Amino acid sequence: MKILILTNLFPTPWDPLRGAFNRQQFERLGQHHDIDVLTAVDFRERLRGVRGEVSVDSLRTDYFTFFYPPRFGRSLHAMTWLLSLWLQRGRRLRAAGYDCILVSWAYPDAAATGWLARRLRIPYVVKVHGSDLNVQASYPLRRRQIRSALRGAGAVVAVSRALAEKAVAIGAAPDRVHVIYNGVDSDRFAPGSRSEARTRLGLSSEEPLLLYVGNLKSSKGCLDLLEAFPALLATQSQARLIYVGAGPCRDALLERAAALACSDRISLAGAVPHAALGDWFRAADLLCLPSHNEGVPNVILEAMACGIPVVATRVGGIPEVVPDYAGSLVPPQDPAALSAALVEAVAREWDSSRIAAHASGFRWDDNVARLSGILQTAVHPPRVGSAA
């Protein structure tokens, strides 16, 4: 099939590390189909300039600039997203002859794509990730647009059962909603020597290492983790907390660490290419991701694939993929509960082989085969009354 993928979650020259999970999925999907990926780039991000190069095998990639009124009018963003796309790439889209559209992110991307697909007279499939439903659909005007997009879709793909249930509650037809967990690249994420990983990263071989991987923003719980960390230091004085990622909370983390008198035990490593994350996981004693809302974060699957236990919040699809023997779950925005979980987890003996074996069940080949079948069905739906 010839497929158009529309999303804001994909690497671009202005943000080369963005959407690594989509990159892995779409690159594999492109081995079976003829695919164009067209990524929306926020106009403010584009003004900040190019930050790297992006080359993805098996895909043709392009970008358009998403213009919108900042700070207000969020309910109009689907319209401005569509106008931005159509004015910049409309002629090419009309002439391309696509069989279907896969749109990854509910608002504004999917809300706008519903209108685009009707104009092009082709089916579309919506992939939802987490806060695109958990947060955006909590606003009435946006929720109505998301509902319309989900109802008009040939299928809705959710990365967790919790998110699938959310899509149905918003208005998606239950028989069109599919759960497909993300996969793990087993060549990059597998158990290995902790001491060798630490040596390659220039880290101490002795101190207990707590790792956070993700955007440094409050909704990911990075500040909650910092509030919980001193309790671990009280029992493990040489423990170190390393944040891998970038984002708006960086300065707040540094200021709060100074106020908590633990700056010497905190490190901010900055953003790291996805291909380099394996050593960070293997170097860690524990991954912690105390998000306020989620779908299923790939960093949790990847850490477990390296045999590393997880402390995370009981939100979204995380409880679906983290069994008791692979980690501990706590309520969101509860630093006291998080503190207790960290202390217990660092002291506990974990079965790394069992954790890695569990994570090996999340395979990109299975993921892409199912997604390909869903797209095929959207293009060639079964006839009413035909045999199953």
Side-chain angles (χ1 to χ4, degrees), residues 216-349:
L216 302 184
K217 57 183 183 180
S218 58
S219 64
K220 288 290 185 181
C222 60
L223 294 169
D224 299 339
L225 175 55
L226 184 57
E227 295 296 330
F229 184 57
L232 178 60
L233 285 176
T235 63
Q236 302 274 351
S237 62
Q238 294 305 303
R240 177 167 296 280
L241 169 58
I242 298 182
Y243 288 90
V244 172
C249 285
R250 183 182 185 279
D251 291 343
L253 286 168
L254 293 173
E255 292 172 6
R256 186 57 182 155
L260 292 171
C262 62
S263 295
D264 61 328
R265 308 311 306 164
I266 304 289
S267 299
L268 273 63
V272 170
H274 185 253
L277 283 177
D279 268 346
W280 285 99
F281 292 131
R282 285 183 284 269
D285 292 276
L286 188 70
L287 175 79
C288 186
L289 189 66
S291 301
H292 299 173
N293 62 79
E294 278 292 356
V296 173
N298 247 51
V299 294
I300 286 180
L301 303 180
E302 290 163 352
M304 292 191 299
C306 294
I308 306 305
V310 172
V311 171
T313 39
R314 194 176 290 106
V315 297
I318 293 176
E320 300 170 30
V321 300
V322 181
D324 292 342
Y325 59 82
S328 300
L329 302 182
V330 299
Q333 303 183 68
D334 189 342
L338 184 57
S339 293
L342 293 177
V343 171
E344 188 274 335
V346 170
R348 178 175 167 184
E349 290 291 331

Side-chain angles (χ1 to χ4, degrees), residues 83-161:
L83 289 173
S84 298
L85 171 62
W86 194 252
L87 290 174
Q88 296 169 56
R89 297 291 185 270
R91 181 177 297 177
R92 185 183 305 176
L93 295 181
R94 288 194 299 269
Y98 294 112
D99 294 301
C100 68
I101 301 173
L102 171 62
V103 55
S104 179
W105 198 252
Y107 190 87
D109 309 45
T113 296
W115 300 329
L116 176 67
R118 287 192 291 272
R119 179 70 180 265
L120 297 178
R121 297 182 179 179
I122 58 176
Y124 67 99
V125 171
V126 178
K127 182 184 176 190
V128 292
H129 295 269
S131 58
D132 52 345
L133 295 190
N134 294 328
V135 176
Q136 296 296 338
S138 64
Y139 297 90
L141 291 178
R142 286 174 239 173
R143 185 183 183 90
R144 284 199 285 269
Q145 296 176 65
I146 293 170
R147 179 187 298 119
S148 177
L150 298 182
R151 286 178 172 173
V156 176
V157 175
V159 298
S160 71
R161 290 195 305 271

Side-chain angles (χ1 to χ4, degrees), residues 76 212 334 387:
L76 300 176
Y212 170 100
D334 189 342

